[in-house]
Amino acid sequence: RVPPELLFDQGLGDLFVIRVAGNILSQNILASLEYAAEHLKVPLAVVLGHSRCGAVKAALETLAADAEAPGHIASLVAALTPALADEAPLGEDPVDWAVRKNVLLVTQQVPLNSPLLAARRKSRRLKIVGGYYDLDTGAVEIIA
């Protein structure tokens, strides 16, 4: 929704940015992360979710309707399902709660699905954190 370079006060080309709806993890995302870490020596990976995420909202609506998403969107819904398995606590916005949960899950899944990234993390050459960007305030909160 907003260029990460603006959020983190960086110039164009200073960040290696991988964008995907819903911050889901796939082989291509892992390959891109491995490339950034191994070849570009990127020391920090940030999984950044944001408020009012349309992909998460669409997945929640699809599951609530017990429907099947059209086309390849079904794979997006399937990838987000673990973060949507539990209902949001009372008083919490279901979309934002699921966004945060998904960010936490993805930050945990990255090293579990990539021995290369796990090794870099273990040797402290790579840190993996989660963040939440609030579209209303412009603030980024580190959540994992």
Side-chain angles (χ1 to χ4, degrees), residues 13-36:
D14 290 342
L15 302 177
F16 188 90
V17 179
I18 305 165
R19 292 178 185 254
V20 62
N23 288 320
I24 63 169
L25 198 57
S26 70
Q27 294 300 312
N28 291 334
I29 298 299
L30 283 169
S32 295
L33 286 167
E34 289 177 348
Y35 168 77

Side-chain angles (χ1 to χ4, degrees), residues 67-126:
E68 187 171 321
H72 292 285
I73 299 171
S75 66
L76 177 66
V77 172
L80 287 168
T81 296
L84 311 177
D86 301 322
E87 288 188 26
L90 193 62
E92 292 284 333
D93 177 85
V95 173
D96 288 344
W97 186 79
V99 167
R100 290 170 181 274
K101 188 170 178 189
N102 187 60
V103 165
L104 293 172
L105 289 173
V106 172
T107 60
Q108 294 165 357
Q109 291 170 352
V110 168
L112 294 175
N113 287 284
S114 170
L116 190 151
L117 296 173
R120 292 187 76 79
R121 184 173 168 217
K122 184 175 182 181
S123 67
R124 298 180 187 259
R125 291 178 290 157
L126 176 67

